[in-house]
RNA sequence: GGGCGGUUAGCUCAGCUGGUUAGAGCACCUGCUUUACACGCAGGGGGUCAUCGGUUCGAAUCCGAUACCGCCCA
């Protein structure tokens, strides 16, 4: 412990590593695998990407989860914060591939086995970064039970789930249109796609009717896909084409003919009103094609090049083919128009390349059986989403869910437990017996394994002690964008495989934006590194700041809030210092607040009970911002500004020492879940503390210590002192000057000495000639020190005050003169208005006296 | 195109089951080596609560419209 006499400031950088080490050594981060999950408290961290580094979202989410975990641990529950990382298929594979390319190699050159080995090496070397960074934040997760979504045990859970769903008939293989990412050469999910505005050229192309009676003109931004057209569609209500439905056209550049079909999807006011249908290369065309049983002709391959089916254009890239097709059409005189066209185009969030929609053979999970129970779980309250407004987004998404494409053409990930031999397909946890079996090359979507996180981390499908003790978990805290991607899938998988919801509460936190309102991102250069912020302001400050600035909507990063947290840590440090420099090593453990105890002791102990009750409720309601700011208000606005100032005039006897240390210990314990480092350090130094604060009980409010009379008295005292200080300031009285005064107020008599000390009044030298009179609760304070007053300043102040009072009086009089108000407003409100008016009139009269 | 959210002090945000003199942090002004803290203390200035209309005795708060900003879905 630092020597308090010499240290005037809290130094986070010195304290944090030592305190973190004491916590780790205590073993309290590691929940005991015993007891029931209903009695225990557990949170599964949303596993960060193993390639990742801590960003503000992680820091906020870590602060939230740690506050919850520490709160419940202090409340005596056996707690477990399940920690680990996600193998992040595409992101990790790309990361390692980049290195190989730098080395002049490639994954193809290495071969699958050596490549995967290389990724594991990479993970060994760099995969621990984000876990270490969480430690800097003070996160009290279970570092001993760290899990990885590719662990051997985890892999077994994944295979089990795959096989069970396959046996259910929920997993199947099909030709389907997927979002093909040419960059990562894999299918990716809808949520990994982002739409961007792009200006393309809209080409109009003539398709001649086979009966020679004319032509149909279609509009498209992808002329090269016409080689895969299998129909032309028009809206059935479109008069322009009424006679053409059922007729045939010749598809230019090929020797094929297409039928003109009718489908409601076609918009009559877009383009020419006639739509070329390419089922294998456009999502909408795919739907129409399936409705009409059209052929799916694949003309663009997975390598982004035109296939054999593209005839003369085979081998060209899609872009080259577009140029060639347009040229050929122009030559044949079939190009009817071209104009710039701006529209939203899908791009891969992973590789940044433009998505090529194409039909390929993929594995899918049907959602028909899985989604309804997950909707039900939220509707009936087994899973509560906070804030509740997010529930609708969750259920809306699940209600419209489509089959989930789970195969990815990657090497890094869970390889599907599927084997082929000629026409046979085998699905099983272990490889099939016999020769000639070839294993499926594809791996599973990373989210497939992540969806099992809350139970696969605990040893499922075995009923391990960890599983029994901590599943289902209690809370899942996450950002909004993960609500579908992950939360919904966890609920579906949890219900299907464990029969229980994986958590009872979902807390959806703010997204922290850059101070200018843009997204925080590395590529934009708008990111702020939480570790830098911790280095500069301390982990407590960053935690407090993030919690204080967060809300139910997105917020801009506010360094001022972090600095507020830093100030709070320092304030607590110095408040403790003040008490500790005045008490000995041995103090009584209970506050002394019975009859006859000083009013300020009774008051602060009473207020503490109320603040503890409020903070407890706010944590339970996930109102972290209110809790953090409420704590700040208590420490600054009550403990330091008033209580510590009020006791400065007293001798630190045993009673005061016991009470002050009790208040200090309770405040440190109350603040610990939010700002753990400074509170832990101070706890050790306060007499009466036992063991580490992280393992100490959270304060329980004691009704018996709530003291309304003390509350009224100190409340009046504060109003009086504030009024008198304001008067002194307005009258330009020298700060040090003692002013002769007499207090005429029954409400304040008992506490006159305290008031006199705080305002530097000399109650003994009142001359009897009042030079001024100040309204205070229950009466007035008369002042008799004319010399000390700056007459000019005083007059200005009074003039200003008078006009303010007159304005308020007029307003109150107006209200009370309004018959409707008196008749219709609640009686106590009217009475309150009258009382206010009376008070204001008294004050105005005193001003004029 | 559909849905949701926002617009309150110079900045970042609370308040929004209708009734307070509309708050906080930071910034700003004045004063202060006051028996912990200048990462401090005391006092103070600053807001027609986006705009327009409605409901009501009473609207930052409820309803409708408009403008601008943002997010999600198609």
């Amino acid at each position: 412990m630092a020597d308090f006499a010499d240290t005037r400031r809290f130094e986070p950088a010195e304290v944090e590593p030592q305190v973190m080490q004491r916590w780790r050594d205590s073993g309290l981060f590691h929940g005991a695998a015993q007891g029931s999950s209903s009695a225990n408290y557990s949170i599964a961290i949303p596993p960060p990407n193993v390639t990742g580094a801590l960003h503000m979202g992680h820091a906020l989410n870590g602060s939230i989860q740690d506050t919850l975990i520490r709160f419940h641990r202090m409340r005596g529950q056996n707690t477990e914060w399940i920690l680990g990382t996600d193998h992040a298929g595409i992101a990790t594979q790309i990361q390692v591939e980049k290195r190989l390319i730098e080395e002049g190699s490639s994954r193809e050159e290495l071969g699958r086995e050596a490549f995967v080995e290389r990724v594991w090496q990479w993970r060994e070397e760099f995969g621990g970064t984000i876990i270490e960074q969480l430690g800097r934040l003070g996160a009290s997760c279970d570092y001993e039970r760290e899990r990885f979504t590719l662990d051997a045990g985890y892999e077994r859970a994944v295979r089990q789930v795959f096989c069970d769903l396959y046996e259910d008939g929920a997993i199947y293989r099909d030709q389907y249109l997927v979002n093909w990412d040419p960059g990562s050469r894999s299918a990716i999910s809808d949520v990994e796609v982002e739409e961007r505005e792009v200006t393309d050229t809209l080409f109009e192309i003539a398709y001649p009717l086979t009966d020679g009676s004319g032509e149909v003109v279609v509009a498209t931004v992808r002329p090269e896909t016409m080689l895969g057209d299998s129909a032309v569609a028009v809206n059935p209500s479109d008069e322009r084409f009424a006679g053409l439905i059922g007729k045939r056209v010749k598809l230019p550049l090929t020797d094929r003919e297409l039928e003109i079909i009718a489908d409601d999807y076609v918009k009559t006011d877009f383009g020419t009103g006639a739509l070329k249908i390419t089922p294998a290369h456009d999502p909408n065309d795919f739907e129409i094609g399936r409705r009409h049983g059209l052929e799916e002709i694949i003309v663009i391959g997975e390598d982004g090049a035109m296939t054999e089916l593209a005839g003369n254009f085979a081998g060209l890239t899609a872009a080259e083919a577009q140029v060639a097709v347009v040229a050929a059409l122009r030559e044949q005189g079939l190009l009817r128009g071209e104009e710039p066209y701006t529209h939203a185009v899908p791009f891969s969030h992973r590789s940044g390349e433009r998505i090529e929609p194409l039909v390929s053979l993929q594995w899918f999970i049907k959602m028909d059986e899985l989604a309804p129970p997950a909707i039900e779980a939220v509707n009936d309250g087994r899973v509560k989403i906070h804030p509740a407004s997010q529930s609708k987004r969750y259920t809306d998404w699940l209600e419209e869910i489509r089959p989930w494409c789970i195969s990815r053409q990657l090497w890094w990930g869970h390889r599907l437990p599927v084997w082929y031999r000629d026409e046979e397909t085998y699905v099983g946890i272990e490889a099939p017996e016999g020769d000639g079996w070839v294993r499926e090359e594809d791996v599973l979507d990373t989210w497939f394994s992540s969806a099992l996180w809350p139970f696969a981390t605990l040893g499922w499908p075995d009923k391990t002690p960890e599983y029994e003790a901590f599943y289902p978990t209690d809370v899942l805290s996450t950002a909004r964008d993960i609500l579908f991607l992950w939360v919904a899938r966890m609920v579906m998988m949890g219900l299907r495989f464990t029969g229980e919801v994986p958590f009872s509460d979902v807390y959806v936190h703010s997204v922290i934006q850059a101070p200018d309102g843009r997204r925080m991102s590395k590529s934009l250069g708008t990111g702020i590194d939480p570790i830098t912020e911790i280095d500069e302001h301390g982990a407590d400050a960053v935690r407090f700041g993030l919690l204080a600035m967060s809300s139910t909507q997105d917020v801009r990063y506010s360094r001022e809030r972090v600095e507020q947290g830093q100030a709070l840590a320092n304030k607590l440090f110095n408040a403790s210092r003040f008490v500790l420099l005045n008490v000995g090593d041995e103090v009584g453990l209970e506050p002394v607040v019975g009859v006859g105890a000083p009013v300020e002791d009774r008051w602060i102990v009473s207020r503490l009970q109320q603040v503890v009750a409020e903070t407890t409720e706010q944590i339970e309601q996930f109102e972290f911002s209110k809790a953090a700011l409420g704590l700040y208000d208590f420490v600054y606005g009550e403990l330091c500004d008033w209580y510590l100032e009020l006791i400065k005039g007293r001798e630190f006897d045993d009673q005061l020492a016991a009470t002050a240390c009790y208040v200090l210990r309770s405040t440190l314990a109350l603040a610990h879940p939010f700002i753990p480092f400074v509170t832990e350090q101070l706890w050790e130094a306060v007499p009466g503390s036992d063991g580490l604060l992280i393992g100490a009980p959270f304060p329980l409010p004691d009704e018996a210590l709530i003291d309304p009379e003390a509350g009224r008295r100190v409340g009046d005292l504060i109003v009086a002192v504030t009024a008198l200080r304001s008067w002194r300031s307005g009258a330009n009285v020298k700060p040090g000057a003692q002013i002769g005064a007499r207090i005429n107020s029954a409400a304040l008599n008992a506490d006159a000495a305290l008031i006199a000390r705080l305002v530097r009044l000399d109650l003994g030298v009142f001359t009897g000639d009042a030079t001024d009179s100040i309204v205070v609760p229950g009466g007035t304070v008369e002042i008799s020190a004319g010399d000390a007053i700056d007459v000019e300043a005083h007059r200005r102040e009074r003039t200003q005050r008078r006009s303010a009072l007159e304005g308020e009086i007029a307003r109150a009089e107006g209200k009370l003169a309004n018959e409707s108000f008196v008749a219709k407003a609640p009686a106590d409100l009217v009475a309150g208005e009258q009382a206010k008016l009376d008070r204001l009139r008294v004050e105005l009269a005193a001003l004029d006296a």
Side-chain angles (χ1 to χ4, degrees):
Chain A
M1 187 67 214
D3 182 7
F4 273 109
D6 301 335
T7 313
R8 298 156 70 90
R9 218 183 240 221
F10 174 61
E11 300 287 354
E14 289 172 22
V15 171
E16 286 169 8
Q18 301 166 26
V19 168
M20 191 64 183
Q21 195 55 52
R22 287 209 290 279
W23 287 334
R24 286 180 188 270
D25 294 344
S26 75
L28 286 167
F29 287 1
H30 185 67
Q34 60 191 39
S36 70
S37 68
S38 54
N40 297 339
Y41 187 86
S42 60
I43 294 178
I45 195 169
N49 186 328
V50 69
T51 64
L54 197 78
H55 62 233
M56 275 304 165
H58 293 128
L60 170 61
N61 202 194
S63 302
I64 288 166
Q65 293 171 81
D66 196 48
T67 297
L68 289 169
I69 284 283
R70 285 179 187 270
F71 171 73
H72 285 276
R73 188 187 288 120
M74 290 175 79
R75 299 252 279 181
Q77 286 180 278
N78 180 24
T79 56
E80 172 72 11
W81 184 2
I82 301 161
L83 177 67
T85 49
D86 187 314
H87 67 274
I90 294 177
T92 312
Q93 176 159 325
I94 287 176
Q95 193 87 265
V96 176
E97 277 196 272
K98 269 189 201 152
R99 298 198 147 216
L100 287 175
I101 289 163
E102 281 165 20
E103 295 167 13
S105 179
S106 70
R107 80 177 153 114
E108 287 80 4
E109 192 175 302
L110 241 59
R112 183 163 188 154
E113 205 173 314
F115 177 77
V116 170
E117 183 52 39
R118 183 66 195 262
V119 183
W120 277 105
Q121 281 172 13
W122 181 91
R123 188 244 171 186
E124 275 310 303
E125 203 172 340
F126 302 106
T129 305
I130 197 161
I131 304 290
E132 283 167 34
Q133 291 177 318
L134 275 169
R136 287 293 311 280
L137 195 64
S140 62
C141 12
D142 189 349
Y143 296 88
E144 291 170 48
R145 278 201 192 97
E146 183 186 332
R147 298 301 305 268
F148 183 52
T149 51
L150 275 178
D151 285 348
Y154 206 106
E155 168 140 50
R156 197 166 63 93
V158 168
R159 288 192 196 199
Q160 179 81 49
V161 166
F162 187 94
C163 294
D164 286 3
L165 288 173
Y166 182 79
E167 277 169 32
D168 286 354
I171 285 187
Y172 61 97
R173 197 179 191 207
D174 192 14
Q175 289 279 359
Y176 212 82
L177 189 95
V178 296
N179 300 306
W180 184 262
D181 175 10
S184 59
R185 280 163 290 165
S186 174
I188 62 174
S189 71
D190 288 346
V191 288
E192 290 165 317
V193 170
E194 65 175 315
E195 304 278 332
R196 287 190 215 154
E197 290 271 306
V198 166
T199 301
D200 284 323
T201 305
L202 188 66
F203 296 96
E204 296 191 353
I205 305 167
Y207 287 11
L209 287 157
T210 51
D211 61 9
S213 64
E215 62 183 30
V216 173
V217 178
V218 300
T220 180
V221 294
R222 308 261 343 244
E224 70 280 14
T225 65
M226 67 178 286
L227 302 168
D229 282 3
S230 42
V232 169
V234 297
N235 193 295
S237 64
D238 193 334
E239 295 165 4
R240 293 174 293 175
F241 304 104
L244 296 180
I245 293 164
K247 287 199 174 185
R248 299 179 73 77
V249 293
K250 179 178 183 311
L251 182 61
L253 312 182
T254 72
D255 52 10
R256 291 194 289 120
E257 292 183 2
L258 309 176
E259 189 179 331
I260 299 173
I261 60 170
D263 195 290
D264 287 333
Y265 169 78
V266 183
K267 297 189 195 92
T268 55
D269 57 353
F270 180 79
T272 60
L275 185 63
K276 63 189 271 301
I277 303 298
T278 319
H281 296 290
D282 180 275
N284 296 312
D285 293 7
F286 181 80
E287 297 287 331
I288 294 170
R290 287 268 159 126
R291 274 202 290 277
H292 295 270
L294 301 176
E295 206 182 339
E296 290 159 6
I297 304 166
I298 299 172
V299 292
I300 302 171
E302 296 181 351
D303 55 0
M306 305 306 286
T307 66
E308 292 303 313
L309 294 174
N312 295 335
F313 301 92
L316 299 179
T317 66
E320 290 165 350
Q322 178 169 119
V323 174
V325 164
V326 170
L329 289 169
R330 185 172 284 126
E331 194 175 313
Q332 296 187 15
L334 294 171
L335 206 57
R336 289 287 174 273
E338 47 189 308
E339 58 183 62
Y341 173 62
T342 303
H343 62 142
V345 171
F347 281 81
S348 166
H349 200 65
R350 302 292 175 183
S351 70
E353 293 204 23
R354 189 164 170 163
I355 294 298
E356 189 67 65
L358 58 84
V359 164
S360 65
L361 199 52
Q362 302 284 345
W363 288 87
F364 292 87
I365 305 183
K366 278 187 220 166
M367 291 288 124
D368 318 42
E369 305 282 322
L370 290 169
I375 296 170
E376 188 56 26
V378 165
N379 285 341
D380 69 17
R382 276 176 296 152
V383 174
K384 290 178 286 297
I385 298 179
H386 312 267
S389 56
Q390 297 295 329
S391 305
K392 192 175 170 319
R393 299 184 60 231
Y394 166 98
T395 50
D396 284 355
W397 185 78
L398 276 175
E399 273 157 14
E400 306 218 339
I401 197 165
R402 303 224 228 149
W404 173 14
C405 175
I406 51 170
S407 44
R408 295 290 182 273
Q409 290 67 47
L410 302 174
W411 285 353
W412 176 242
H414 292 278
R415 202 163 167 180
L416 273 67
V418 176
W419 286 262
Y420 307 106
R421 183 169 67 184
D422 302 325
E423 296 302 303
E424 289 177 88
T425 297
Y426 175 85
V427 173
I429 291 176
E430 303 299 335
E433 310 257 324
D435 297 329
W437 290 102
V438 179
R439 187 165 182 184
E440 167 66 58
E441 294 280 325
D442 289 356
V443 300
L444 289 163
D445 179 8
T446 306
W447 294 106
F448 184 97
S449 50
S450 304
L452 318 180
W453 182 255
F455 49 93
T457 46
L458 294 169
W460 184 92
D462 294 335
K463 298 274 183 187
T464 61
E466 287 80 8
Y467 179 84
E468 299 291 348
F470 302 121
Y471 189 85
T473 66
D474 289 87
V475 176
L476 189 281
S477 173
T478 182
R480 201 181 39 233
D481 50 345
I482 308 290
L483 196 59
F484 319 135
L485 207 61
W486 194 46
V487 176
R489 287 172 179 163
M490 277 193 291
V491 176
M492 287 191 277
M493 291 301 203
L495 286 167
R496 166 63 181 79
F497 288 96
T498 69
E500 296 183 88
V501 294
F503 29 73
S504 47
D505 293 273
V506 175
Y507 177 66
V508 181
H509 68 242
S510 295
V511 172
I512 309 277
Q513 298 169 329
D516 62 4
R518 288 189 294 170
R519 208 187 157 73
M520 260 200 203
S521 94
K522 229 186 270 175
S523 54
L524 288 174
T526 50
I528 295 176
D529 180 2
I531 299 299
T532 309
E533 296 294 284
I534 290 173
D535 288 341
E536 285 177 17
H537 304 284
D540 291 325
V542 171
R543 293 168 62 115
F544 177 93
L546 287 171
L547 292 174
M549 75 182 80
S550 76
S551 89
T552 55
Q553 62 179 62
D554 293 353
V555 292
R556 299 177 184 205
Y557 185 73
S558 164
R559 183 161 285 126
E560 290 74 24
R561 287 294 184 199
V562 172
E563 285 166 358
Q564 190 181 358
Q566 187 177 354
L568 174 64
N570 189 244
K571 193 72 170 172
L572 266 181
F573 180 88
N574 275 294
S576 303
R577 196 169 153 241
F578 172 69
V579 173
L580 293 172
L581 293 174
N582 281 288
V583 301
D585 293 338
E586 298 288 326
V587 299
L589 292 179
E590 298 298 327
V592 183
V593 287
V595 181
V599 69
E600 64 271 22
D601 290 4
R602 290 162 49 198
W603 169 74
I604 195 70
V605 168
S606 173
R607 282 295 302 140
L608 188 57
Q609 310 312 310
Q610 294 165 328
V611 173
V612 165
E614 284 161 16
T615 306
T616 300
E617 166 134 9
Q618 283 157 345
I619 296 174
E620 287 172 341
Q621 301 291 319
F622 304 101
E623 292 182 321
F624 301 104
S625 174
K626 281 184 186 166
L629 292 170
L631 184 67
Y632 177 94
D633 287 342
F634 175 72
V635 170
Y636 268 77
E638 299 188 289
L639 180 62
C640 293
D641 289 351
W642 295 101
Y643 182 65
L644 295 185
E645 293 304 320
L646 283 165
I647 63 174
K648 274 182 181 170
R650 286 164 61 187
E651 186 197 342
F652 256 85
D653 56 16
D654 289 351
Q655 285 193 7
L656 177 55
T659 303
C661 287
Y662 160 85
V663 170
L664 193 53
R665 286 194 311 273
S666 301
T667 304
L668 293 174
L670 177 70
H672 184 259
F674 305 93
I675 46 175
F677 288 105
V678 66
T679 50
E680 185 69 77
Q681 188 210 12
L682 295 170
W683 177 260
E684 189 186 5
V686 185
S689 67
D690 184 26
L692 289 172
L693 178 53
I694 188 177
F698 196 78
L700 278 176
D702 183 350
E703 286 280 335
L705 293 177
I706 292 178
D707 188 336
E709 197 241 331
R712 272 193 302 276
R713 275 175 62 184
V714 175
D716 286 346
L717 175 149
I718 288 172
V719 171
V721 167
T722 304
L724 289 161
R725 280 173 173 169
S726 184
W727 175 86
R728 283 186 70 119
S729 177
N732 247 348
V733 176
K734 285 204 165 43
Q738 292 278 339
I739 301 295
R742 182 168 68 195
I743 296 175
N744 304 314
S745 162
L748 298 177
N749 275 346
D751 305 311
L754 287 172
I755 294 168
R757 188 168 57 72
L758 291 182
V759 195
R760 292 177 197 264
L761 300 181
D762 190 336
L763 301 178
V765 301
F766 185 73
T767 59
D769 281 334
T771 53
D772 209 344
S773 171
I774 294 129
V775 172
V776 292
T780 59
V781 173
E782 288 176 286
I783 303 291
S784 74
D787 294 358
I789 296 170
D790 175 338
V791 179
E792 269 309 301
H794 187 219
R795 183 174 299 144
R796 264 199 313 274
E797 179 77 10
R798 282 165 69 113
T799 307
Q800 221 172 21
R801 181 65 191 151
R802 178 178 295 110
S803 65
L805 276 173
E806 284 166 351
E808 283 172 44
I809 287 170
R811 189 201 304 237
E813 284 174 343
K815 265 191 177 179
L816 289 165
N818 181 340
E819 286 175 25
S820 303
F821 173 74
V822 177
K824 295 187 180 175
D828 56 342
L829 201 78
V830 178
E833 203 64 30
Q834 185 63 57
K836 185 172 93 182
L837 182 58
D838 294 344
R839 184 166 51 74
L840 292 170
R841 280 176 172 156
V842 167
E843 195 175 341
L844 186 65
L847 210 56
D848 288 333

